[in-house]
Amino acid sequence: MEKNSIKISSQFGHEVMAVNFAKALGLPVVIVPNKDSKEEFKAESQKIYDNMSFFYDDIYMVPFEEKDKYADAWDIIGELKAGTLDSALWNHFAASKLQPVIENLPEYADLWNKANVLIIPQKLISDGACGVTAAQQSLPLEVFNFMKNRPENKVLGQHFHKVNDLPTVENLAREFNLYVPGMSENPEVFGIRGVQHKKYYNMYASLNASVGIAGTHTWLLLTLFPEIPQVILFNKNGVENWKDIEAAYQALGFRIYCIGFDENTDMAALSEEIEETFTKLLA
């Protein structure tokens, strides 16, 4: 079947991925929320559009009355989650870069003129749609102990609930001496989850590298700033084939390294591998 458009129904990391695939393949994006009532469908469509149209100008809201016409639109996210996405497509993906219009976005003055590194040691929130829970995607904090003595300014990149997860995040910030977006400046971006992606653009632009668990930040960096080196950590039981993604980006000269783990992984050896890879990125 010929694919004339790519559809999205939400606005998280995989949707950023879908939009970059659309740009890479010259296809429009259609917004088709999973809502049964016209009012909810229209409201959700507008919310998704307001967030995702920042990345791509060939993106459209579908009228509720016409949603069935797009039942056969390319569900590239569904293919990813089902493990049926053609691995050769990652070569097109890696060759594409989103280039949004940048205006009136939060500045991150506390990050200016510093060597900033994004760190994502845990996964506090996950939709579980990729075959692994937030806990399964997380690693013991000890794996990242090597980061504590590094000279770079460390920036927390994980999503969290600004109320329920606050004690955890505060402890994490103290232990690793982290800059937490929204804690000292730009309070509107605190928590990350539910905040428009574009509001973090200047934060990502300030980074020298990223290390940690794969998530929304990973897709934003790959599609907006592929030149920023990344060590992407992933649970091997998930559906995303990160080694194919790694190969596609490395073939183009980007310093993207993906390291897998599971319940049988030797965490001490994993920590050493991450430290060695990360040190190499910043050498």
Side-chain angles (χ1 to χ4, degrees):
M1 180 185 70
E2 184 179 358
K3 297 177 174 66
N4 297 316
S5 62
I6 288 177
K7 66 179 176 181
I8 62 174
S9 59
S10 192
Q11 52 188 323
F12 302 116
H14 286 142
E15 283 71 33
V16 176
M17 175 204 75
V19 169
N20 191 57
F21 265 123
K23 184 174 187 290
L25 301 171
L27 296 173
V29 173
V30 292
I31 299 171
V32 190
N34 296 316
K35 300 294 183 182
D36 294 327
S37 76
K38 181 176 181 178
E39 292 75 17
E40 289 181 322
F41 184 94
K42 184 176 180 180
E44 186 68 9
S45 293
Q46 189 66 57
K47 184 178 179 181
I48 296 170
Y49 180 84
D50 290 344
N51 196 354
M52 302 304 297
S53 60
F54 169 72
F55 299 107
Y56 192 46
D57 56 7
D58 201 5
I59 183 168
Y60 306 95
M61 293 187 289
V62 171
F64 179 77
E65 295 78 9
E66 298 179 15
K67 67 173 184 173
D68 291 343
K69 294 181 180 179
Y70 296 89
D72 293 328
W74 191 2
D75 182 10
I76 201 166
I77 298 173
E79 289 189 13
L80 175 80
K81 292 178 178 179
T84 60
L85 186 64
D86 183 354
S87 61
L89 288 172
W90 292 115
N91 296 317
H92 299 284
F93 184 89
S96 176
K97 180 178 177 179
L98 299 175
Q99 296 178 305
V101 176
I102 310 305
E103 56 184 17
N104 301 320
L105 298 180
E107 297 286 349
Y108 292 81
D110 289 351
L111 301 180
W112 290 352
N113 301 316
K114 296 179 181 177
N116 301 304
V117 172
L118 197 71
I119 178 172
I120 312 90
Q122 296 176 314
K123 196 91 162 165
L124 295 177
I125 297 176
S126 175
D127 58 12
C130 289
V132 282
T133 65
Q136 289 171 321
Q137 292 175 75
S138 297
L139 287 166
L141 287 180
E142 292 76 20
V143 169
F144 297 92
N145 277 347
F146 72 91
M147 291 294 297
K148 293 180 179 180
N149 296 321
R150 289 202 58 93
E152 295 85 14
N153 186 45
K154 292 171 279 292
V155 180
L156 184 65
Q158 70 188 29
H159 291 188
F160 59 91
H161 191 287
K162 61 184 67 180
V163 176
N164 298 344
D165 294 322
L166 183 58
T168 300
V169 170
E170 289 177 334
N171 289 334
L172 197 61
R174 282 192 295 269
E175 185 173 352
F176 285 86
N177 190 27
L178 298 174
Y179 170 93
V180 179
M183 188 172 280
S184 62
E185 59 179 345
N186 305 318
E188 70 275 14
V189 307
F190 190 63
I192 299 182
R193 187 75 165 204
V195 179
Q196 287 189 326
H197 299 308
K198 67 181 181 181
K199 292 186 177 181
Y200 298 97
Y201 183 90
N202 287 320
M203 183 193 81
Y204 288 117
S206 75
L207 298 176
N208 291 74
S210 173
V211 57
I213 309 300
T216 296
H217 59 277
T218 311
W219 297 113
L220 289 167
L221 284 171
L222 287 174
T223 57
L224 292 170
F225 303 103
E227 66 277 4
I228 294 177
Q230 290 194 69
V231 179
I232 302 168
L233 310 176
F234 65 97
N235 188 303
K236 295 176 184 177
N237 297 312
V239 299
E240 295 143 322
N241 196 333
W242 286 107
K243 299 307 286 186
D244 283 344
I245 298 170
E246 174 192 76
Y249 275 91
Q250 287 188 5
L252 296 175
F254 295 115
R255 291 176 293 167
I256 304 298
Y257 293 86
C258 301
I259 301 174
F261 62 90
D262 59 23
E263 64 276 9
N264 298 315
T265 296
D266 181 326
M267 291 300 163
L270 178 65
S271 179
E272 290 180 7
E273 181 181 3
I274 296 169
E275 181 178 8
E276 179 181 325
T277 305
F278 183 74
T279 302
K280 180 172 59 176
L281 286 185
L282 294 179

